[in-house]
């Protein structure tokens, strides 16, 4: 048996492994989905729950312990868990770095976050559900990633990304400041109104998909300067890193992020074994990426050069869209 035949045999075994692993992943994804649906019902007040305090004691009148600001003045007491996803996101790094003060109110209308993997595990879709709000008309904001080698060892190859065009309500765009100004034509003297957009930092930029096709074309043609390429690659790295944080941490462990019990255990200057990379190795890796036509996201990139949007606050109350961060644990009865 020749070497080529051995390689073909190995490939056949790997395909069999991928098929069996996908079947196993799908089996347990359905089980997880049932739990996530129950969590959604509790968060949104769709089922009866028993509220308990930090010591596990039953709270007979939970609304009485919530600050008036959370209740919205003299209005009815909220059902479910107010600001659940807002607080979970604001505590979850590196997502917290993307959240700006202006985003808080909009994120308070988020009712659920889901991740659905493709059946053959060649990609995944992220969905954020929103109830009616004063910012946009979308009820679902999605982000879809195609990663054909999700089961293969080594760095993932990002094939394509699709986002959502957010239908902002007038004067409520959190991603861009819009200004109108009049322009007069020199010859005809006619006036026209021109709208200029100035980008501002916002969590909702996450739903704007990077242009993978244009990026690949520019890389292959050599149109990009080295500095421009590094900036674009850093943006792709941050985007894919955030997607994986949502997929592997925010969604499955949302309750722990909300309560502040989830801690990544990494303080400034603290490293785990195997995390340190020699600078020379990193430079060689960057050169390899530039020569390869497929874009491979680098893991562990830092968003915005370390800029913080909303600081993570493990265990303590966070500023919310309408309250003092008072929390209660709700258990389905």
């Amino acid at each position: 048996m020749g070497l080529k035949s051995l390689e073909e045999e190995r490939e056949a075994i790997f395909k069999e492994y991928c098929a069996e692993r996908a079947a196993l992943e799908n089996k347990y994804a359905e089980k997880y989905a049932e739990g996530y649906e129950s969590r959604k019902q509790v968060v949104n007040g769709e089922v009866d729950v028993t509220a308990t305090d930090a010591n596990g004691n039953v709270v007979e009148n939970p609304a009485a312990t919530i600050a008036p600001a959370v209740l919205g003045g003299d209005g009815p007491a909220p059902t479910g868990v107010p600001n659940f996803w807002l607080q979970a996101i604001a505590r979850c790094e590196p997502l917290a770095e993307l959240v700006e003060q202006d985003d808080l109110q909009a994120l308070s209308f988020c009712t659920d976050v889901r991740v659905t993997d493709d059946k053959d595990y060649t990609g995944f879709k992220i969905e954020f559900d929103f109830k009616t709000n004063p910012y946009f008309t979308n009820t679902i904001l999605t982000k879809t990633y195609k990663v054909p080698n999700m089961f293969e060892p080594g760095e993932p190859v990002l094939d394509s990304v699709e986002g959502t065009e957010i239908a902002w309500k007038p004067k409520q765009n959190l991603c861009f400041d819009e200004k109108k100004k009049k322009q007069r034509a020199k010859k005809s003297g006619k006036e026209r109104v021109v709208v200029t957009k100035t980008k501002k930092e916002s969590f909702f930029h996450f739903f704007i998909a990077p242009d993978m096709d244009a990026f690949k074309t520019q890389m292959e043609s050599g149109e990009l300067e080295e500095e421009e390429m590094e900036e674009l690659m850093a943006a792709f790295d941050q985007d894919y890193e955030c997607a994986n944080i949502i997929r592997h941490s925010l969604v499955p462990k949302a309750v722990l992020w909300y309560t502040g019990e989830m801690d990544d255990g990494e303080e400034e200057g603290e490293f785990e074994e195997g995390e340190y990379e020699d600078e020379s190795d990193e430079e060689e890796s960057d050169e390899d990426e530039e020569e390869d036509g497929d874009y491979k996201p680098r893991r562990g990139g830092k968003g915005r050069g370390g800029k913080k949007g909303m600081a993570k606050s493990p265990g303590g109350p966070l500023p919310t869209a309408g309250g003092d961060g008072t929390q209660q644990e709700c258990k389905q009865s």
Side-chain angles (χ1 to χ4, degrees), residues 39-224:
R39 181 180 66 191
K40 174 185 175 182
Q41 293 173 355
V42 172
V43 167
N44 295 310
E46 298 172 4
V47 294
D48 293 331
V49 297
T50 300
T52 61
D53 59 21
N55 298 319
N57 301 315
V58 175
V59 179
E60 297 296 339
N61 184 17
T65 66
I66 303 176
V70 176
L71 299 179
D74 298 329
T79 57
V81 186
N83 299 324
F84 176 84
W85 286 105
L86 165 63
Q87 295 215 40
I89 293 169
R91 285 194 172 110
C92 181
E93 296 285 8
L95 300 182
E97 298 177 6
L98 305 181
V99 179
E100 302 293 333
Q101 191 70 32
D102 291 343
D103 296 328
L104 295 178
Q105 186 69 36
L107 286 173
S108 72
F109 291 95
C110 182
T111 59
D112 194 33
V113 180
R114 296 183 302 280
V115 176
T116 305
D117 291 327
D118 294 349
K119 291 296 183 181
D120 58 357
Y121 280 81
T122 57
F124 58 93
K125 178 170 66 174
I126 296 171
E127 296 175 287
F128 279 63
D129 287 352
F130 286 86
K131 58 186 175 183
T132 302
N133 64 81
Y135 293 91
F136 44 80
T137 59
N138 311 69
T139 56
I140 303 178
L141 300 180
T142 65
K143 194 80 173 286
T144 304
Y145 294 82
K146 288 297 181 183
V147 188
N149 66 331
M150 285 176 65
F151 280 169
E152 296 181 17
E155 293 295 331
V157 175
L158 190 58
D159 187 56
S160 66
V161 185
E162 295 181 6
T164 300
E165 182 177 353
I166 302 178
W168 297 104
K169 294 182 178 180
K171 299 182 180 180
Q172 296 298 327
N173 195 326
L174 297 174
C175 295
F176 296 91
D177 280 325
E178 297 183 355
K179 292 184 179 180
K180 295 181 179 180
K181 63 178 181 179
K182 294 181 179 180
Q183 286 185 348
R184 185 186 299 275
K186 293 182 179 179
K187 294 183 178 179
S188 64
K190 293 182 178 180
E191 288 187 348
R192 65 173 182 172
V193 177
V194 178
V195 179
T196 59
K197 290 185 177 181
T198 304
K199 182 178 178 180
K200 58 181 181 181
E201 302 292 354
S202 171
F203 173 81
F204 290 92
H205 279 293
F206 173 75
F207 298 101
I208 303 174
D211 192 338
M212 291 292 299
D213 292 335
F215 178 65
K216 290 178 181 178
T217 300
Q218 290 174 320
M219 283 186 65
E220 292 170 358
S221 63
E223 296 177 11
L224 294 174

Side-chain angles (χ1 to χ4, degrees), residues 245-318:
I245 290 295
I246 294 171
R247 179 171 177 251
H248 293 297
S249 185
L250 176 67
V251 169
K253 301 175 182 178
V255 173
L256 300 181
W257 283 116
Y258 171 77
T259 60
E261 297 172 75
M262 189 68 188
D263 188 357
D264 58 12
E266 294 181 12
E267 300 295 337
E268 186 174 355
E270 183 178 315
F271 297 90
E272 292 184 4
E273 184 178 357
E275 287 189 351
Y276 178 76
E277 295 184 5
D278 185 76
E279 290 183 2
S280 60
D281 293 339
E282 184 176 344
E283 289 175 1
E284 291 176 4
S285 176
D286 291 346
E287 290 175 0
D288 292 341
E289 288 173 354
E290 292 175 10
E291 294 173 0
D292 196 337
D294 293 323
Y295 175 67
K296 301 178 181 179
R298 292 169 292 184
R299 299 173 186 263
K302 297 297 181 182
R304 292 194 199 172
K307 178 182 180 295
K308 300 286 186 182
M310 292 295 300
K312 183 176 72 169
S313 177
L318 288 170

